[in-house]
């Protein structure tokens, strides 16, 4: 059992995959920022931004269904904004009787809630395209280019390298627990001990994992030291950006700026 | 499996830009300082050790246990990392975990990442550290006291973090304060128990196997008093401000209004589709439907054109 399924990177041959990771990273963040800056209820502008993102998804060859399917993952959080519908105040759109209470659906609240949901959904799609079309080492290059501290980038790199090893370790721990615990075929029959007991077993697994990780970290350090590691993180210099990269970046930024202006004028 | 049942990773779109940028700035300062502190403590061991431990906490969040009918408790890990390694290393580890969750798995947004790291990394660590140190000291180092300290610090870190999330949502005007804060806090009063129980299990396991490490991790650190005070202050401030804000949301909403300059109606000189009704169509309902149709045509037109261009490109002979 191996945990490569964790890696969301899907290699394809597409212009989006071929784009320099630095440009992609900056444009994805700019797209999310644009969505956040758009005023509430600017439906026309949301549609245009969605059209742009959808075009990028199609160009990326990732499959529209794949991206839209994954974007549904972010939906549970929308519940946090749902109360807006009922509390934003007059003018009221509808009144629903619910037992002893009356739910007052406010027009303002509906607009706000729908705007937040749509903006969030577009942002998630942009982030999915970024992570599915860029391998993690490329994302590290992008992070260095936007001046994330060097040590932090090095830690990210090491974390990614061992994430799969430790996820495998967790899967083994879970399988071992399942193997040791009896399971009843009788439906509804509880097996194992009390809640506290089950939590304690899981806690023991967490402690065990932590210990193994700590020891592995020490071994990795020794192996690195044996190969000349002296605490200094050395990277290859970033390759220079060609003219067409700058052109793509400027074009993308200009498009987003136009959409933002449209949304502000129409908001 | 990776989607967290604990709704604490704020996605993009839920924070106003000002709130998001403010927490990015605060987070950047604290994380930069934590990097420096851990570097002086660990030196060249920092990169391998922090990297592997961040991977460990990330993978450890997959460990779960059945609580009741279909729901399961799982680990967040800030308290465990704080107890084992001290506050600065924990902030760094949680930063890495949350950054990778947001960047790769869309568990939390990119613009909202500053706030997410602030809540689950900095607030959770500071509160866990303060609670653990205080309770462990009060109990005089007895075994039971240590486990109680572990439970309380894990529980408090979850609850206070959720209050911080509720407050940020209310500040951004995305969720009314009088509902968001009590709801977040209330749910996490229960979820925190799961975190507390797992942390107790882990700490008692480590106490039995590697007591030396546990003592080393919880030894007082330089600047620890500052974190202790900060953690207590954060916990108290959030515990006091949140009920106030939820009882009297007007003050908070006024503050949010001030920030929401973009929400003000801008009188527009040009209208793309005036009032979302196409001009020249009489009936209001028909006009609204028509503008919806035009909108969909724009979207599918753009998407269709992109697909068409791509197909044509593909049909070219390979060079």
């Amino acid at each position: 059992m191996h945990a490569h399924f964790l890696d969301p990177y899907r290699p394809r041959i597409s212009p989006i995959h071929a784009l320099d990771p630095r440009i992609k990273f900056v444009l994805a963040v700019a797209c999310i920022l644009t969505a956040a800056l758009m005023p509430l209820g600017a439906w026309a502008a949301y549609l245009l931004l969605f059209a742009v993102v959808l075009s990028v998804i199609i160009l990326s060859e990732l499959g529209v269904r794949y991206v839209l399917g994954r974007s549904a993952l972010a939906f549970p959080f929308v519940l946090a904004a749902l109360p807006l519908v009922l509390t934003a105040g007059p003018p009221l759109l509808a009144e629903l009787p619910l037992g002893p209470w009356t739910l007052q659906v406010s027009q303002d609240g509906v607009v706000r809630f729908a705007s937040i949901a749509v903006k969030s959904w577009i942002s998630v799609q942009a982030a999915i395209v970024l992570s599915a079309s860029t391998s993690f080492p490329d994302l590290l290059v992008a992070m260095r280019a936007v001046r994330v501290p060097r040590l932090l980038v090095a830690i990210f790199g090491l974390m990614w390298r061992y994430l799969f090893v430790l996820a495998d370790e967790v899967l083994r721990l879970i399988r071992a627990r399942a193997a040791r615990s009896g399971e009843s075929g009788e439906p509804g029959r509880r097996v194992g001990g009390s809640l506290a007991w089950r939590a304690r077993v899981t806690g023991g697994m967490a402690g065990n994992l932590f210990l193994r990780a700590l020891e592995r970290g020490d071994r990795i350090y020794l192996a690195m030291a044996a190969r000349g590691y002296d605490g200094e993180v050395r990277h290859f210099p970033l390759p220079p950006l060609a003219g067409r990269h700058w052109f793509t970046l400027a074009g993308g930024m200009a498009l987003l700026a136009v959409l933002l202006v449209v949304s502000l004028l129409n908001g | 499996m990776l989607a967290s049942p604990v709704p604490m990773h704020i996605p993009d779109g839920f924070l106003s830009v000002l709130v998001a940028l403010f927490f990015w700035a605060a987070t950047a300062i604290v994380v930069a300082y934590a990097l420096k502190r851990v570097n002086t403590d660990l030196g060249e061991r920092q990169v391998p050790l922090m990297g592997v431990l961040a991977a460990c906490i990330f993978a450890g969040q997959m460990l779960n246990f059945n609580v009741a009918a279909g729901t399961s408790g799982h680990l967040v890990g800030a308290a465990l990392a704080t107890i084992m390694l001290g506050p600065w290393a924990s902030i760094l580890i949680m930063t890495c975990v949350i950054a990778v969750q947001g960047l790769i798995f869309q568990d939390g947004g990119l613009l909202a990442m500053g706030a997410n790291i602030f809540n689950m990394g900095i607030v959770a660590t500071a509160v866990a550290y303060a609670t653990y140190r205080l309770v462990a000291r009060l109990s005089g180092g007895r075994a039971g006291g240590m486990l109680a300290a572990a439970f309380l610090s894990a529980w408090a870190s979850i609850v206070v973090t959720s209050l911080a999330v509720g407050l940020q949502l209310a500040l951004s005007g995305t969720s009314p304060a009088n509902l968001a804060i009590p709801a977040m806090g209330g749910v996490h009063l229960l979820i925190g128990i799961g975190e507390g129980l797992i942390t107790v299990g882990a700490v008692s396991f480590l106490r039995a196997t590697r007591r030396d490490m546990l003592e080393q991790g919880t030894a007082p650190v330089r600047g620890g008093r500052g974190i202790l005070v900060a953690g207590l202050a954060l916990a108290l401030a959030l515990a006091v401000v949140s009920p106030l804000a939820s009882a009297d949301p007007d003050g908070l909403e006024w503050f949010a209004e001030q920030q929401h300059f973009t929400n003000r109606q801008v009188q527009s000189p040009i209208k793309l589709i005036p009032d979302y009704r196409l001009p020249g169509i009489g009936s209001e309902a028909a006009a609204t439907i028509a503008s919806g149709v035009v909108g969909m045509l724009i979207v599918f037109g753009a998407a269709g054109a992109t697909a068409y261009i791509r197909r044509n490109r593909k049909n070219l002979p390979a060079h």
Side-chain angles (χ1 to χ4, degrees):
Chain A
M1 189 153 38
H2 287 291
H4 354 261
F5 61 84
L6 283 177
D7 191 352
Y9 175 58
R10 305 187 112 204
R12 296 279 183 279
I13 298 167
S14 87
I16 303 297
H17 283 72
L19 194 58
D20 188 279
R22 291 165 281 181
I23 306 285
K24 230 185 308 190
F25 187 78
V26 171
L27 283 178
V29 172
C31 175
I32 292 168
L33 188 63
T34 307
L37 281 172
M38 283 183 171
L40 299 173
W43 308 117
Y46 297 165
L47 267 175
L48 292 177
L49 187 61
F50 178 56
V52 170
V53 172
L54 196 61
S55 308
V56 171
I57 293 172
I58 292 170
L59 275 181
S60 71
E61 309 257 354
L62 290 167
V64 177
R65 265 187 60 188
Y66 168 75
V67 176
L68 293 188
R70 274 200 53 193
S71 70
L73 273 180
F75 259 96
F77 206 89
V78 165
L79 286 178
L82 198 58
L84 279 179
V85 171
L86 302 175
T87 54
L92 295 182
L93 210 59
E95 294 201 358
L96 306 171
L98 185 84
W101 301 289
T102 318
L103 295 180
Q104 301 184 316
V105 179
S106 127
Q107 190 178 349
D108 219 27
V110 171
V111 168
R112 238 189 220 199
F113 170 73
S115 302
I116 290 169
V118 170
K119 283 170 160 198
S120 178
W121 188 52
I122 294 175
S123 305
V124 165
Q125 288 176 34
I128 289 173
V129 172
L130 176 69
S131 71
S133 72
T134 319
S135 69
F136 197 77
D138 280 348
L139 279 177
L140 292 178
V141 169
M143 280 190 256
R144 279 172 59 207
V146 296
R147 302 278 183 279
V148 175
R150 233 159 28 131
L151 266 178
L152 207 54
V153 175
I155 296 175
F156 283 147
L158 226 106
M159 175 189 176
W160 185 252
R161 196 165 296 182
Y162 286 96
L163 183 59
F164 301 95
V165 176
L166 285 161
D168 279 351
E169 196 111 43
V170 167
L171 293 181
R172 280 198 295 275
L173 282 169
I174 290 176
R175 190 165 52 179
R177 177 178 63 180
R180 286 193 307 267
S181 319
E183 205 167 303
S184 169
E186 215 177 300
R189 185 189 163 116
R190 213 186 57 182
V191 289
S194 64
L195 182 66
W197 183 84
R198 272 176 284 163
R200 204 183 146 83
V201 168
T202 314
M205 288 158 75
N208 199 343
L209 180 73
F210 195 85
L211 215 56
R212 290 186 197 177
L214 205 71
E215 280 162 3
R216 190 186 288 275
D218 274 335
R219 289 200 303 276
I220 292 166
Y221 164 66
L222 289 176
M224 283 164 77
R227 288 160 179 79
Y229 175 65
D230 58 358
E232 186 64 34
V233 185
R234 295 178 183 80
H235 290 296
F236 285 117
L238 293 170
L241 283 171
R244 67 197 159 81
H245 290 138
W246 286 112
F247 184 74
T248 315
L249 181 65
M253 289 300 221
L255 182 61
L256 290 172
V258 168
L259 287 182
L260 187 59
V261 170
V262 165
S263 77
L264 289 175
L265 291 179
N266 272 271
Chain B
M1 187 186 292
L2 281 161
S4 152
V6 188
M8 285 211 285
H9 295 76
I10 307 173
D12 281 321
F14 281 80
L15 290 183
S16 75
V17 175
L18 268 179
V19 172
L21 292 182
F22 172 80
F23 281 105
W24 255 120
T27 298
I29 293 167
V30 177
V31 171
Y33 186 68
L35 262 179
K36 222 164 86 184
R37 282 300 305 269
V38 178
N39 203 6
T40 55
D41 290 349
L42 290 178
E44 39 183 88
R45 290 167 67 212
Q46 179 181 25
V47 171
L49 212 53
M50 292 297 107
V52 173
L53 289 175
C56 163
I57 294 291
F58 192 117
Q61 296 188 348
M62 291 159 67
L63 288 173
N64 58 353
F65 66 103
N66 292 334
V67 173
T71 57
S72 65
H74 87 141
L75 192 67
V76 174
L80 182 60
T82 308
I83 294 169
M84 298 309 298
L85 302 162
W88 297 114
S90 165
I91 287 177
L92 209 51
I93 288 173
M94 292 310 289
T95 300
C96 295
V97 170
I98 296 156
V100 168
Q101 281 173 336
L103 206 55
I104 303 296
F105 303 108
Q106 286 76 48
D107 215 356
L110 297 182
L111 203 59
M113 193 185 285
N116 282 330
I117 294 176
F118 189 85
N119 298 337
M120 284 176 283
I122 297 167
V123 172
T125 295
V127 170
Y129 184 75
T131 319
Y132 189 81
R133 296 277 308 156
L134 278 183
V135 179
R137 187 175 296 176
L138 284 179
S139 68
R142 277 186 296 268
M146 212 167 172
L147 295 183
F151 178 82
L152 283 175
S153 69
W155 179 79
S157 73
I158 297 289
V159 174
V160 175
T161 302
S162 76
L163 291 179
V165 174
L167 207 60
Q168 283 160 357
L169 290 177
L171 267 180
S172 303
T174 41
S175 200
N178 56 343
L179 281 171
I181 297 170
M184 286 298 283
V187 169
H188 288 88
L189 286 177
L190 293 176
I191 292 179
I193 294 176
E195 174 87 4
L197 289 174
I198 299 185
T199 307
V200 168
V203 168
S204 63
F205 174 84
L206 289 163
R207 199 183 140 80
T209 49
R210 287 286 299 269
R211 188 178 295 198
D212 56 317
M213 234 187 62
L214 201 59
E215 276 155 13
Q216 188 190 329
T218 46
V221 293
R222 196 164 55 82
R225 193 172 292 263
I227 302 188
L228 203 146
V229 173
L232 281 183
L234 272 172
L236 282 179
L238 283 167
V240 170
V241 167
S242 324
L244 280 182
S246 53
D248 178 23
D250 294 345
L252 201 65
E253 252 142 46
W254 175 83
F255 189 66
E257 287 293 295
Q258 300 299 306
Q259 303 209 342
H260 261 269
F261 56 91
T262 46
N263 288 355
R264 265 184 289 160
Q265 288 286 324
V266 182
Q267 258 320 321
S268 67
I270 327 157
K271 287 254 181 197
L272 204 64
I273 304 174
D275 288 326
Y276 311 111
R277 259 176 273 133
L278 281 181
I281 301 183
S283 151
E284 220 172 272
T288 311
I289 292 168
S291 52
V293 170
V294 170
M296 292 326 277
L297 284 179
I298 293 176
V299 171
F300 288 112
T306 317
Y308 179 74
I309 293 169
R310 187 191 60 166
R311 179 146 319 153
N312 277 4
R313 183 83 53 84
K314 254 198 216 157
N315 289 345
L316 285 180
H319 23 243

